[in-house]
Amino acid sequence: MLADATTDSGGTRSGGTATATPQATAHVTGMGLAAVVTVPAAMPVAPLLPVVPLLPVTPAGFTARCTRALLSPWSRLSMLLVLLAGAASTVLLLHPQRLLSDGWPPQLGGAMAALVFAAAYGLCSVAFVPRPLLNLAAGALFGSQLGTGAALAGTVLGAGISFGLGRVLGQDALRPLLRGRWLKAADGQLSRHGFRSMLAARLFPGLPFWGVNYCAAVSRMRWTPFLLATALGSIPNTAAYVVAGARASSPTSPAFLIAMACIALPALGGAVVAWRKRHHLRAR
């Protein structure tokens, strides 16, 4: 038999005194021999650190470049131009003026027909269809009262759609281009005095409806004064055209003559005011 081995490399021997770290023993037998093997005790385990969740990695490469390009100001402006061109082409193919000759579909009538017409009015005004034509059609199809309500609802709807498209898709690209004296003056007027300026623009008959909408969208005018001034300022001109359309079958009637006077006199007055204010605009 071999004697038990008790000496460890980790022990320290000095002057007959031995110190050793804690050890574990294991007995191994075989071939008639027995031995004791010492194994060092397990080392202490460091405490686990808290798990920190990884942040999502920002996508890079071709996809990210395409996303930035699509969201750039000029790309959005191009999208706006494509949408407007497609809307104008659709109107030209559908010929909405046929409503004046063919009449409204017979399955629609009353308030429901007026609501559908108001929605179509708004979409057509966004697609550059002249509002006088739409107002005349409203009067011819629904009469003076219901036609005026439908035309005003379509006017506000079309103005809101144009304003939203211009604000989201065109403002960032077009605002840096406001460098001319007249453009800066118009932008400052619309931005500082939104309701008053828009009310005057709606009452002035010579300004195109779609042009005013997109100019207001490029400025810093807020939604509420824009829509409120559009609704109030469009009443006189819209009502005059609707009544003219409703009374077109009797052009000598007093209602038709008054409506035509309400159309002609503001146009003449607006031309005179514009002529007198031209020097003031040039000075600014």
Side-chain angles (χ1 to χ4, degrees):
M1 274 300 181
L2 295 178
D4 293 343
T6 59
T7 304
D8 183 29
S9 60
T12 303
R13 186 179 302 275
S14 175
T17 303
T19 60
T21 58
Q23 298 172 345
T25 61
H27 297 275
V28 180
T29 60
M31 300 300 292
L33 299 176
V36 178
V37 181
T38 60
V39 181
M43 298 298 293
V45 180
L48 296 177
L49 296 176
V51 179
V52 179
L54 297 177
L55 296 177
V57 181
T58 304
F62 180 75
T63 304
R65 290 195 298 269
C66 291
T67 303
R68 288 194 299 267
L70 289 175
L71 297 179
S72 64
W74 286 104
S75 295
R76 284 181 287 163
L77 180 61
S78 301
M79 292 172 59
L80 176 61
L81 296 177
V82 170
L83 286 175
L84 295 179
S89 301
T90 303
V91 168
L92 292 176
L93 293 175
L94 294 180
H95 301 290
Q97 64 273 14
R98 291 182 301 180
L99 290 175
L100 294 175
S101 58
D102 300 341
W104 195 253
Q107 60 270 22
L108 293 176
M112 181 58 66
L115 290 176
V116 174
F117 179 84
Y121 185 113
L123 296 176
C124 289
S125 64
V126 175
F128 310 113
V129 176
R131 285 184 62 250
L133 176 63
L134 297 173
N135 293 331
L136 292 172
L141 294 173
F142 303 106
S144 299
Q145 297 180 355
L146 189 58
T148 301
L152 285 175
T155 297
V156 177
L157 177 62
I161 295 175
S162 300
F163 186 85
L165 289 175
R167 178 61 56 90
V168 174
L169 299 179
Q171 186 186 44
D172 293 339
L174 294 179
R175 280 202 66 82
L177 302 180
L178 300 178
R179 300 174 181 176
R181 184 173 55 189
W182 283 31
L183 294 177
K184 288 183 177 180
D187 175 66
Q189 187 71 18
L190 290 173
S191 300
R192 291 190 300 268
H193 310 287
F195 178 81
R196 184 177 65 186
S197 302
M198 184 54 54
L199 185 63
R202 296 308 186 192
L203 292 173
F204 190 82
L207 297 177
F209 180 75
W210 60 270
V212 174
N213 293 336
Y214 290 111
C215 287
V218 175
S219 71
R220 302 188 186 279
M221 181 185 296
R222 298 190 306 273
W223 278 88
T224 301
F226 172 78
L227 295 177
L228 185 59
T230 297
L232 295 177
S234 301
I235 292 176
N237 185 264
T238 301
Y241 274 101
V242 171
V243 172
R247 303 289 181 174
S249 58
S250 55
T252 57
S253 62
F256 181 84
L257 295 177
I258 293 174
M260 294 304 297
C262 292
I263 295 172
L265 291 179
L268 180 60
V272 172
V273 171
W275 179 262
R276 296 185 62 180
K277 291 292 184 179
R278 71 189 190 282
H279 298 296
H280 178 68
L281 292 174
R282 289 177 180 176
R284 296 182 64 178

